[in-house]
Every structure is written in C-alpha cells, then in structure tokens.
Amino acid sequence: MLTTRRGAEAWRRLEILTEDLLATPEGARADFANAAWNAVTHAESALFLAYLGTVKKSDSLLNQAAHHLDVSLQLLPTTDLFPTLHGGLLGIAWIAHHLENRLFEDNAGLTEQLDASLLNYMASRAPLPFDAVMGVTGIGIYALTVYKKYVDTTPARAHIASLILEKTIETLWNLAETSSDGATWTVSPEFLIEPTRTQYPNGRYDFGVAHGIAGIVAFLAQFCLLSTDNRRARNLLEGATRWLVGHKLAPGHRSRYPSVAVPGRAETSALAWCYGDLGISAALLQGARALGSKALQEEAVATIRRSARRGEKDANTNDTALCHGAVGIAHVFNRMYHWTGDAACRDAAVQWYERTLLAESAERHTDRSLRFLDGIAGIGLALIAAVSDAAPEWDHLLLLGT
C-alpha cells in the first residue's frame, strides 16, 4: 500500500508508538483512572501488541501482549463494566476470543459464563440503546464472532451465541420504526448527553456506523450472510438500506449523507469511520453483498468515490485517531480498495496514510490515549495493515468484517 520510503516511516512510527505504550506507568494517564478503564486499556493494548508481535515474529512483543491480556482478565472481577463492544466488557471478551487459541491459552471458562449472562441482561434491561458502540448492535457483533468461532467445534457455545443473535434481531425489530420509506431507529433522548439532549429533546436519527443506522446495516448484512433463511433480519436490512439511501442530502452539500437529522433539519458530515459517507459506504457495500443488490453496490461505490475526492480541509479531520481521524479514514479506504479493486480507494488510502504519518511526526504525543478508538492501539493496528500482509481481522470491531 505504501512506497518503500513511506513504509519505512510507518515502521519507525510503530516503534515510537510501541515505546510510548510500554513505557506508560499505570495511573499516569486517564486511561488508567480506575479498574474498569484499566481493564479495557490493557485488553486493547494486547490486541495491538499481538498483531505487531505476529508480524515482526517477536516473542518479546507477544509476551507483552499476553501479559496485558492477562492483567485485563484479572481485573474484570473488580469492575462494574457494562456489556458494551467499545469501552466495556464485551470489547474485552471479543479481544479474548480473537486472540485465544492463536497466541494464548483458551479463556473459555470466563467467556462462556459471560455469553450465558448476556441473554439475561438483554431480557432484563429495558430499554437498550440500539447502536454498535454502546448497545444492541455491538452485542450482535460480539455474538457473531462467538458463533463463527465455535459453530464447527463446540455446538453448545455456538447455540448460546445463536440465542443472543436471535434476541438481538428481535430487539432491533421491536425498536424499528417502519414506513413506506423503509425501516429506521430513533436515538432516544435518554441516550444522548448534554448539550446534545437539549438540542434534540425528542431524539434524533443518527446515520453513522458507531451510533446509528449504518452500524445496524453492517451488522444485519453480516448476519444475513451467515443466516440466509432469517426473514425478519432480511426484511430489516432491506428496509434499513432503503431508508438510508432515501435520505441522502440534496446535491450541493459537502457530504452525500447527513451525520444526524430530525424532520426538516439535517447536518452534513465530516469524513470518518464513525460518522459520514465513508463509514456509510462500507456498510452499504456489505448490505449490497448480502442482498445481492447491484443498485446498492453502485450507490456504495459512488459514495466512496465522492469521499475519495474530499480534501483534508473539507474532511474536517483534526487528529489521527482510528475512530474519527486520519488513520481511520486511511484504513477504511484501504479495506474498500481490497473489497472493490477501485484505484480511487487505493490512492485515497495512501494519501490519508501519508497525512497520518505527517501529523504523527510533527510532535511526540507524550500524554495521548493508549486506546483502540482514539489512541495508540488503533493507530498502530491501522499502520500495521498498511505495511504488512497480515489480515486486519481486528477491524470486525469497526463492523468491517465482511
């Protein structure tokens, strides 16, 4: 993906990121403010170190990864983490599932107990947010990972995961608003924080992958590819993609899709994984594959090509983070290039990797987050994907799993 010179710069940056991560004493940053954040940070650090250690064939890095994961799992009983995919219990469990039997011993006892308790949680907690980062869709992504891992080897584990998936589809079905426009979901004001709640006292429609309908589309697409006979899931996917495409912005706006909207008002979006055209196009492409829709594929490709033409200033991106920054943009373009073979995606990926490296070299970020979405772990994983042939399966956490 990168030239020899840029590739060498990326490897140097990876060395610096690794040094910063390993040199950070616990308690020195907000990431380690309490046991809960400590557990999440250690797990996400393990994910980065495991991929880097695998690519570099470094036993030292792999041992560091194993240590960080072990610390995270030991801390879990002392925390009150919610079962969320990002910043919560499910994120740690997802990483444990992803890395066990590859680099580490199986933690089946811990994750099996968690899987069983998820069903009770979903049945007892009402209402649940629907989104990928904090809610039902994230639970579904976790359950998909567990199901695919165990379906051929451990039927009992796969069965529990299938029950969680069924409950996820049922919950999304019950929360959906259906009309002739399709199916959508309103973010309830109780799940908004101030000052956003005051701006949207009746809630709002969120179009993004992280907290909105694009994340549901990506999950439903992955589920439908796995379970082709689930009519309810397919109906939701058909309705959600129809609603999403039907609410594009009029020509002349800087983005093709809004970030958020209420009746009569919509906000244009920056370029990022979490919000905006880039993440939406990846979700639509997965939906097109699951539904076998040429029209939806053409819409996804048109959206990604338009995103590729947006310059740095128009993208409104101010940092390098995976969630909402330059390296996240580069990684999604990279994945879209491998999905479509479109040269515009390749060229855009290279440009955004170069912008990432330029921004990273400008100063040493001594107090930055170590985390996956907004810090060292995510930046490092995306740079590894740019300079190696290692499949970036970690980006299932970004709903890029197809």
Side-chain angles (χ1 to χ4, degrees):
M1 179 61 68
L2 297 177
T3 64
T4 302
R5 181 171 67 88
R6 291 300 190 193
E9 290 179 17
W11 279 114
R12 284 195 294 273
R13 179 51 47 181
L14 281 166
E15 291 177 3
I16 292 171
L17 292 173
T18 305
E19 290 172 3
D20 287 349
L21 186 150
L22 295 178
T24 302
E26 294 181 18
R29 297 182 185 172
D31 295 321
F32 296 112
N34 54 53
W37 284 109
N38 200 342
V40 173
T41 301
H42 276 293
E44 294 179 350
S45 298
L47 185 63
F48 164 54
L49 292 170
Y51 269 83
L52 186 61
T54 300
V55 169
K56 296 186 73 172
K57 296 181 173 59
S58 167
D59 288 339
S60 174
L61 288 172
L62 294 176
N63 289 336
Q64 287 283 356
H67 167 72
H68 278 279
L69 184 61
D70 186 56
V71 170
S72 176
L73 296 178
Q74 289 183 23
L75 284 169
L76 279 185
T78 70
T79 71
D80 55 355
L81 284 166
F82 284 107
T84 59
L85 188 63
H86 290 279
L89 185 58
L90 288 188
I92 296 173
W94 189 97
I95 291 170
H97 273 299
H98 186 60
L99 296 182
E100 70 188 14
N101 299 331
R102 300 182 181 203
L103 303 172
F104 315 116
E105 293 183 4
D106 197 328
N107 294 291
L110 178 128
T111 52
E112 186 172 9
Q113 183 179 3
L114 170 63
D115 296 349
S117 67
L118 265 181
L119 282 172
N120 294 329
Y121 174 81
M122 295 181 75
S124 63
R125 178 177 168 83
L128 286 169
F130 64 77
D131 68 297
V133 169
M134 303 295 292
V136 174
T137 301
I139 293 174
I141 289 295
Y142 169 80
L144 275 174
T145 298
V146 176
Y147 180 83
K148 287 186 284 189
K149 178 177 180 179
Y150 289 110
V151 65
D152 295 324
T153 60
T154 316
R157 298 294 307 275
H159 177 65
I160 293 175
S162 71
L163 294 177
I164 297 171
L165 287 167
E166 289 176 10
K167 187 64 178 177
T168 301
I169 298 299
E170 178 187 339
T171 304
L172 290 174
W173 179 271
N174 292 335
L175 292 173
E177 304 164 19
T178 58
S179 67
S180 58
D181 289 344
T184 191
W185 293 260
T186 297
V187 181
S188 171
E190 68 184 291
F191 298 124
L192 298 174
I193 60 175
E194 294 294 355
T196 307
R197 185 184 297 129
T198 299
Q199 292 178 278
Y200 301 96
N202 298 316
R204 67 184 188 181
Y205 296 120
D206 190 308
F207 286 70
V209 175
H211 298 290
I213 187 172
I216 294 177
V217 166
F219 161 69
L220 289 172
Q222 293 178 31
F223 179 84
C224 288
L225 286 167
L226 187 69
S227 179
T228 57
D229 60 348
N230 191 306
R231 192 66 233 174
R232 179 177 280 188
R234 187 176 179 88
N235 286 343
L236 281 176
L237 179 58
E238 290 172 345
T241 54
R242 187 167 72 253
W243 190 94
L244 187 56
V245 173
H247 285 76
K248 284 186 298 188
L249 293 169
H253 290 84
R254 68 170 182 166
S255 61
R256 192 175 178 93
Y257 287 89
S259 56
V260 296
V262 294
R265 178 163 61 101
E267 298 180 12
T268 58
S269 60
L271 198 63
W273 163 76
C274 54
Y275 281 98
D277 292 354
L278 190 59
I280 290 172
S281 64
L284 289 177
L285 196 61
Q286 294 180 75
R289 182 183 175 196
L291 296 173
S293 171
K294 183 178 179 181
L296 199 57
Q297 178 173 332
E298 291 173 348
E299 172 62 24
V301 171
T303 303
I304 194 68
R305 285 176 176 168
R306 176 169 173 176
S307 298
R309 294 194 296 269
R310 291 178 68 172
E312 186 172 10
K313 184 177 181 180
D314 181 51
N316 195 27
T317 300
N318 300 314
D319 64 26
T320 58
L322 189 62
C323 176
H324 50 269
V327 83
I329 296 172
H331 183 71
V332 178
F333 274 125
N334 186 356
R335 287 298 253 169
M336 294 291 280
Y337 168 62
H338 284 94
W339 289 355
T340 67
D342 194 308
C345 295
R346 178 199 61 210
D347 295 344
V350 170
Q351 291 171 5
W352 282 101
Y353 280 127
E354 290 176 346
R355 288 165 181 158
T356 298
L357 293 172
L358 181 63
E360 284 286 312
S361 65
E363 59 179 308
R364 187 75 175 260
H365 304 272
T366 56
D367 60 348
R368 78 181 331 164
S369 167
L370 307 182
R371 300 284 301 281
F372 176 76
L373 285 180
D374 63 358
I376 285 176
I379 295 168
L381 284 163
L383 289 178
I384 292 169
V387 296
S388 76
D389 294 328
E393 295 178 356
W394 54 264
D395 68 10
H396 287 228
L397 286 170
L398 301 179
L399 286 76
L400 297 173
T402 300

